[in-house]
Amino acid sequence: ALRFFHFSPSLARLEAGQMMQCFGEVRMTAQGAEMVHPEYQLYAPGSPPVLETGLAAIYPTVNGLGQKVLRRLLEQALAAMEEEDPALVELLPPGLPWPEGDLPDLQSALRDIHMPVADQSVAALLASNFPARRRLIFEELIAHQLGHCQLRQRVASWRAPSLSADDVLWQRLLARLPFALTAAQARVITEIGADLRRQQPMQRLVQGDVGCGKTLVAAAAVVQAVSAGYQVAIMAPTELLAEQHLASFRQWLSALDIRVEALSGRMTAAQRRQSEELIARGEGRVVVGTHALFQGSCQFARLGLVIIDEQHRFGVNQRLALLEKGRHGGLSPHCLLMTATPIPRTLVMTAYAALDCSLIDELPPGRQAVETVVISDQRRAQVIERVCHACQQRRQVYWVCTLIENSESLQCQAAEEAAATLKEQLPDYRVALIHGRMDAEEKARIMKDFRAAEIDVLVATTVIEVGVDVPNASIMVIENAERLGLSQLHQLRGRIGRGSLEGVCVLLYHAPLSALGRERLAVLRRSRDGFEIAQRDMELRGPGEVLGTQQAGHARFRLADLLLDQALIPQAAEAAEKIISQYPERVPALLARWLGNDPLRYSEV
């Protein structure tokens, strides 16, 4: 039986007794074999059409444009290609560092993809190492690398203020610190200082594991810019993280007579107006804030450096809007991006290839090991008993309620319910609640009380993921841990083990746990290396999840898969450099073929 749900004029030609040749998926129903909306061809009795002996490509269709029409158009396109269609000329020059194995030229690759030979297996055609597919993927990766190279060249042509100054203020700050810099911090500070003294805008990404001391590295850049007579804007993605940065920078810089201003969306109109006036006059030398920094009403007198923390949470246009605040007199501000989410090397070479990258690969001495255990939430009573025992020893505890169905209101509701339950079950201890919908003053008060050990158990949403530093907090319980990515769980785990006490992170999951979920949590239990965890996170969830929300400006590929094709990326980068140096006339055509005319397709500035 044939079943059609959508009427089209061609169906009006069907009559009883006609002979048809049909193609489609056969399904068995209670009434027998059935095809739904098959492809069909009418023919006269005794003269059936010739059956195709080869494989036929299947394309995504839309209403009114079926497979037969698409195949006919592709046949015409392939015929035009053989007649030297200028749009499909070979753009990859000879002598490139090709991947292993013989790869076809462009026209052969396109023909093999769309019109495979009859004896080719479907499995081979769909495999990522199929020569024709591999040839096209390699060209696409080269095009993206060319985009990054072109962006680097464009940025290099811009002018920036040379932030050259003596290091008197920095030495004064170092003398006040109760600890010494690690070798990794000192190395990265030297790299940043050299960038700031140049007359081209710095575009540097600093990445490092949780607790490695990125904020102090940023402080070194701040002091250098202020010493040179310029303002600094520090942007964070959340109110809580901005407040943490504000407290840290005020603590460090107040002794140096450097004024640190706050600017956030939660300020009153009067507070914001006063802060913006100070910034516009240049009296606010360092400004810490959230998205309010790049909005129109905020104007800087002399912005020389922009620092963006957890930069993957901002879109490209948001970062550009903040940089525009400092473009005066033909000069652009320097830009320092920071992330505590380790980025696999594959993504660094693609999504961030236009940036210089620094790695803080050393933790300060004294950081304690954190034991990670995975427990079913059916054993919640045992976990609460362990929390009670920790409180008896005057240790503090985080109890984290994770995201529920991507709803902040449901997340806050879950945290409120957890806090109420824990208050009942831990009547002798002080339980408090913090979440993203509280006003800034209330959150600041709660965090101040938690740092002062006036709160024993802090029930929180994932707002405490980054930036929170309470050395006496040594226990963390994360509910519904299977809902979060490994990198985010690693970030949360990094909030404990910051003092003299060893930390314990309890991952509560809701049974039944899938095989994939079990494997993911096992990775976190085995490893404390953020880069290894990020690599596994990318393998299990894909690169888009590791980078954060889908943003304009991050690489979107037509054929390439950053996970499956990562071995080709170094060769593609080498090939791109050779094309730029020896065949620059081919660069525009390659960019147009794969990236179109939208520069934000490959821009991270």
Side-chain angles (χ1 to χ4, degrees):
L2 305 181
R3 187 179 297 273
F4 296 92
F5 294 106
H6 307 290
F7 178 80
S8 65
S10 62
L11 294 177
R13 297 186 295 121
L14 299 182
E15 298 177 355
Q18 282 183 317
M19 305 297 292
M20 303 171 66
Q21 184 183 70
C22 300
F23 303 88
E25 181 183 355
V26 179
R27 296 187 294 188
M28 297 304 298
T29 68
Q31 289 75 36
E34 177 183 271
M35 280 187 183
V36 176
H37 275 285
E39 292 183 53
Y40 64 89
Q41 186 174 354
L42 302 177
Y43 64 93
S47 58
V50 178
L51 290 173
E52 295 183 15
T53 58
L55 295 171
I58 303 296
Y59 303 98
T61 60
V62 294
N63 190 27
L65 187 63
Q67 293 291 338
K68 287 193 294 185
V69 176
L70 284 171
R71 287 188 192 128
R72 186 168 64 249
L73 292 174
L74 260 298
E75 288 173 3
Q76 294 173 1
L78 291 171
M81 175 184 72
E82 294 176 355
E83 297 172 3
E84 297 298 326
D85 185 334
L88 293 174
V89 297
E90 180 63 73
L91 295 175
L92 297 187
L96 293 182
W98 286 91
E100 293 181 4
D102 293 330
L103 295 184
D105 58 34
L106 176 65
Q107 292 194 8
S108 299
L110 290 171
R111 192 179 302 106
D112 291 347
I113 286 284
H114 292 285
M115 299 180 67
V117 296
D119 60 351
Q120 186 66 261
S121 73
V122 176
L125 279 169
L126 298 178
S128 60
N129 62 351
F130 180 58
R133 181 183 296 274
R134 196 170 172 84
R135 163 64 179 76
L136 297 175
I137 287 171
F138 187 54
E139 182 173 315
E140 181 179 24
L141 290 172
I142 289 173
H144 278 266
Q145 292 295 326
L146 289 171
H148 293 305
C149 292
Q150 194 173 76
L151 178 60
R152 272 182 173 275
Q153 291 176 345
R154 188 164 75 243
V155 172
S157 69
W158 297 346
R159 304 290 290 171
S162 174
L163 304 183
S164 297
D166 58 51
D167 63 348
V168 174
L169 288 180
W170 174 237
Q171 292 302 325
R172 283 174 56 190
L173 176 58
L174 282 180
R176 297 179 61 87
L177 295 176
F179 51 83
L181 296 176
T182 65
Q185 285 176 311
R187 183 189 70 249
V188 174
I189 287 172
T190 300
E191 292 170 350
I192 293 171
D195 285 350
L196 293 177
R197 285 188 288 272
R198 285 198 284 264
Q199 292 185 328
Q200 287 80 38
M202 174 178 69
Q203 295 288 319
R204 184 170 291 276
L205 171 68
V206 173
Q207 57 174 329
D209 219 335
V210 286
C212 69
K214 290 180 298 299
T215 307
L216 185 58
V217 169
V222 169
V223 171
Q224 182 171 339
V226 171
S227 298
Y230 285 84
Q231 291 173 290
V232 180
I234 303 168
M235 185 165 67
T238 66
E239 297 280 348
L240 185 59
L241 183 54
E243 290 155 14
Q244 294 289 320
H245 282 324
L246 182 65
S248 296
F249 282 104
R250 279 181 172 169
Q251 177 186 350
W252 289 332
L253 303 182
S254 59
L256 307 180
D257 296 325
I258 298 175
R259 183 165 187 157
V260 181
E261 284 294 321
L263 190 64
S264 71
R266 302 228 174 176
M267 299 171 72
T268 66
Q271 290 172 330
R272 181 164 177 166
R273 185 165 53 253
Q274 180 183 12
S275 185
E276 288 178 346
E277 289 174 357
L278 291 170
I279 296 167
R281 293 200 301 265
E283 296 178 30
R285 307 295 297 280
V286 179
V287 187
V288 180
T290 55
H291 300 71
L293 287 172
F294 59 77
Q295 294 177 354
S297 58
C298 177
Q299 299 297 326
F300 291 83
R302 205 177 187 212
L303 182 60
L305 172 63
V306 169
I307 298 175
I308 302 176
D309 197 11
E310 292 302 304
Q311 54 77 37
H312 59 281
R313 298 194 185 187
F314 294 99
V316 170
N317 289 328
Q318 293 173 325
R319 299 198 291 265
L320 284 171
L322 182 52
L323 288 171
E324 286 291 342
K325 300 286 186 180
R327 287 183 178 165
H328 299 293
L331 297 179
S332 300
H334 298 275
C335 183
L336 178 65
L337 307 176
M338 300 195 302
T339 180
T341 303
I343 304 169
R345 181 172 177 269
T346 301
L347 294 184
V348 170
M349 295 186 68
T350 50
Y352 301 104
L355 305 176
D356 296 309
C357 294
S358 293
L359 175 62
I360 305 178
D361 53 1
E362 180 182 3
L363 292 178
R367 287 300 302 267
Q368 300 298 315
V370 176
E371 177 190 4
T372 302
V373 295
V374 180
I375 300 176
S376 167
D377 59 8
Q378 296 174 354
R379 298 169 59 188
R380 185 184 302 270
Q382 296 177 30
V383 175
I384 293 176
E385 184 179 345
R386 187 167 188 171
V387 167
C388 181
H389 181 67
C391 292
Q392 289 173 354
Q393 297 178 319
R394 299 188 179 279
R395 300 168 71 180
Q396 291 171 275
V397 179
Y398 291 107
W399 191 289
V400 182
C401 297
T402 59
L403 192 68
I404 298 176
E405 297 177 359
N406 294 321
S407 168
E408 184 182 0
S409 61
L410 288 177
Q411 183 183 18
C412 296
Q413 178 184 342
E416 290 168 354
E417 293 173 355
T421 301
L422 288 171
K423 285 178 180 178
E424 291 178 3
Q425 296 177 326
L426 300 169
D428 298 330
Y429 300 101
R430 297 158 295 185
V431 178
L433 169 68
I434 187 170
H435 58 67
R437 291 197 165 186
M438 292 178 171
D439 61 55
E441 290 184 6
E442 187 176 7
K443 285 191 293 185
R445 177 185 58 79
I446 291 171
M447 289 308 303
K448 181 180 178 182
D449 290 346
F450 192 53
R451 286 193 203 91
E454 295 176 6
I455 295 171
D456 299 302
V457 180
L458 181 63
V459 180
T461 57
T462 51
V463 295
I464 57 114
E465 179 183 341
V466 291
V468 178
D469 189 1
V470 181
N472 192 48
S474 58
I475 303 279
M476 173 169 287
V477 181
I478 305 177
E479 292 206 59
N480 298 308
E482 73 276 10
R483 295 177 183 269
L484 297 184
L486 297 183
S487 292
Q488 190 174 18
L489 288 170
H490 181 61
Q491 287 275 8
L492 288 166
R493 182 172 62 177
R495 299 304 105 208
I496 58 175
R498 290 174 166 256
S500 59
L501 301 172
E502 291 188 358
V504 177
C505 180
V506 180
L507 304 180
L508 282 179
Y509 66 87
H510 184 70
L513 189 61
S514 68
L516 177 60
R518 194 173 300 277
E519 179 184 356
R520 292 177 61 251
L521 296 184
V523 170
L524 205 69
R525 188 178 64 240
R526 291 192 306 265
S527 177
R528 298 184 182 91
D529 184 335
F531 289 93
E532 178 187 346
I533 290 169
Q535 178 66 30
R536 290 294 292 141
D537 209 10
M538 186 178 77
E539 292 170 2
L540 294 170
R541 297 201 303 159
E545 293 291 336
V546 177
L547 285 170
T549 55
Q550 293 293 338
Q551 306 174 47
H554 277 311
R556 297 184 182 93
F557 295 94
R558 300 181 185 180
L559 295 176
D561 183 300
L562 290 183
L563 182 58
L564 296 176
D565 304 315
Q566 56 184 303
L568 295 176
I569 294 173
Q571 292 166 299
E574 185 181 347
E577 292 179 1
K578 184 169 184 177
I579 291 172
I580 284 181
S581 63
Q582 299 182 20
Y583 304 92
E585 71 282 357
R586 303 193 184 199
V587 173
L590 277 165
L591 291 176
R593 174 179 290 173
W594 290 100
L595 301 176
N597 298 317
D598 183 1
L600 287 185
R601 286 290 298 273
Y602 50 88
S603 168
E604 300 86 22
V605 176

